[in-house]
Amino acid sequence: MDLQSIPAIADGLRKVENTITRLGGSSALPAINEAAERVIHAGGKRLRPALTLATALAFGKKPDRRVITAAACVELIHAGSLVHDDLMDGATQRRGIPTLNADLGHSKALVIGDFMLARAGLAALTAVSRPVAEVLAATTVELAEGQFLETADLFNRERTQESALRSITGKTAALFRASCTVAAICARAEAQDRARMAAYGERFGLIFQILDDLLDLAAPAGSMGKPTGHDLEQGVYTLPVLRTRAKNPQLLDGDVPAILARLNRAEIVEDTLAYCRDLADQAASALPAFREPGIAASLRGLPHSYIDQVAEMTRRPALRKAI
Ligand code: GRG
């Protein structure tokens, strides 16, 4: 399922793109604009702003300037957090081009990530609404906390599943949740429906991160642009690994090749996909009764469709595409 194949979403995303470009290029300092624009234009699936647009449309709200700006702010926060993430990981490539830290050094990358996050906050406050700005500010806090929890647990063989879940809820699912919530606010949805959309977005975000973690272990070698077991190498013991460790307490003993040799690829794929399918059922049943049944059906099917796509990727490497 591809949200971007829905004409109203494709049209909205073109406007979102213009707004992100304008915001990313709005510094008084040309060097900041150049760096921010490079990150923004390097690509990315634009899944989060597509979710914002889909949610607004599902509530019968046309994507007006506020909705478009809210969607652009969500993507700008995502992009800024990726700049910080690359910095923390010492990553040299993202979206097929050198990372800012590799190109400009640690300090400049740090403040350009800060600029993107702060610029999104300012735009949300001045061009959307105070409630949307509050949601995005609270989400940025959660992103930092989620990432902190992951950092605090690096190489911790006693890491619990609860701790991993809490971390990914903050570092990834919170922004998916916000992508949906800001649209529900713009559409003046009832509080109950906002909460339902938030639950949907959070579950979808968890699925998205858990499958990202699974692909790190189970995608065919060379298909992800990084070596198999990169997270393990970095000391991040992800939920799929921790669920496997529950059945095999010695799993994390020894070095990364030993751990990978102990992992039964078929078993971890099957277990993780089943776990995600349960979350996808929860996401679908959280959805409110919408005014636009077509978009509602797309939202309902989206998490399962993404799971199917990843299941296919674990079998065949060439299938990664925009959803
Ligand atoms: C202070 C806001 C703030 C951030 C600092 C570094 C950090 C804390 C948070 C980052 C958390 C992080 C990197 C989460 C990963 C989320 C994820 C799965 C990213 C990949 O998303 P895609 O596949 O990327 O949608 P594209 O490139 O398609 O946009």
Side-chain angles (χ1 to χ4, degrees):
M1 181 143 330
D2 182 359
L3 285 182
Q4 306 199 10
S5 67
I6 298 169
I9 295 180
D11 181 53
L13 281 174
R14 279 189 286 276
K15 295 177 185 155
V16 169
E17 215 52 39
N18 291 337
T19 305
I20 304 171
T21 303
R22 183 170 53 74
L23 294 174
S26 63
S27 167
L29 300 178
I32 291 187
N33 293 333
E34 201 183 301
E37 281 171 359
R38 184 143 54 88
V39 175
I40 290 162
H41 293 304
K45 296 180 286 299
R46 307 299 195 236
L47 174 56
R48 295 158 189 81
L51 271 178
T52 303
L53 296 170
T55 303
L57 287 162
F59 279 117
K61 168 88 180 161
K62 274 180 121 176
D64 61 6
R65 194 179 54 85
R66 283 178 204 270
V67 173
I68 298 291
T69 307
C73 291
V74 164
E75 184 65 18
L76 210 51
I77 291 173
H78 168 57
S81 76
L82 293 183
V83 171
H84 282 181
D85 191 52
D86 290 338
L87 189 61
M88 292 176 78
D89 282 359
T92 55
Q93 288 255 322
R94 160 86 62 181
R95 296 169 167 171
I97 63 166
T99 55
L100 291 187
N101 48 294
D103 226 18
L104 304 176
H106 188 105
S107 302
K108 284 183 181 153
L110 177 66
V111 288
I112 288 157
D114 290 344
F115 167 79
M116 294 167 79
L117 294 163
R119 194 63 191 85
L122 183 62
L125 190 58
T126 57
V128 190
S129 68
R130 187 185 161 115
V132 163
E134 276 183 16
V135 166
L136 291 180
T139 303
T140 310
V141 169
E142 287 189 81
L143 271 165
E145 289 171 344
Q147 185 77 356
F148 181 88
L149 283 174
E150 179 176 297
T151 308
D153 262 348
L154 290 179
F155 294 102
N156 175 12
R157 291 181 190 178
E158 310 304 318
R159 188 183 203 201
T160 61
Q161 292 183 42
E162 292 69 30
S163 175
L165 257 178
R166 194 170 164 208
S167 165
I168 64 173
T169 300
K171 80 166 194 169
T172 305
L175 195 54
F176 276 69
R177 189 209 302 137
S179 307
C180 299
T181 309
V182 294
I185 293 173
C186 291
R188 298 185 186 281
E190 302 275 340
Q192 214 179 27
D193 287 348
R194 278 188 208 178
R196 286 180 158 271
M197 256 347 276
Y200 169 88
E202 184 175 295
R203 299 240 177 353
F204 187 22
L206 287 173
I207 293 167
F208 193 80
Q209 183 61 57
I210 292 166
L211 294 180
D212 198 63
D213 296 340
L214 175 67
L215 287 171
D216 183 73
L217 299 160
S223 64
M224 299 299 293
K226 53 184 182 177
T228 306
H230 179 75
D231 289 337
L232 283 173
E233 203 74 67
Q234 301 250 324
V236 183
Y237 302 140
T238 58
L239 198 70
V241 168
L242 296 175
R243 286 177 58 81
T244 308
R245 191 202 51 192
K247 287 170 247 160
N248 176 0
Q250 265 75 53
L251 180 70
L252 294 174
D253 290 354
D255 56 14
V256 172
I259 298 171
L260 286 173
R262 241 175 258 130
L263 278 175
N264 179 327
R265 199 165 162 274
E267 211 174 281
I268 198 167
V269 168
E270 192 191 347
D271 172 77
T272 306
L273 293 178
Y275 183 82
C276 288
R277 288 202 170 103
D278 185 45
L279 284 171
D281 288 341
Q282 292 175 27
S285 46
L287 284 172
F290 283 122
R291 292 170 60 158
E292 290 294 331
I295 305 260
S298 297
L299 281 171
R300 195 172 311 114
L302 194 62
H304 273 297
S305 163
Y306 185 60
I307 295 167
D308 292 344
Q309 189 186 318
V310 169
E312 196 57 36
M313 282 167 68
T314 62
R315 296 188 281 269
R316 289 193 284 147
L319 282 176
R320 190 156 220 204
K321 58 176 184 189
I323 60 168

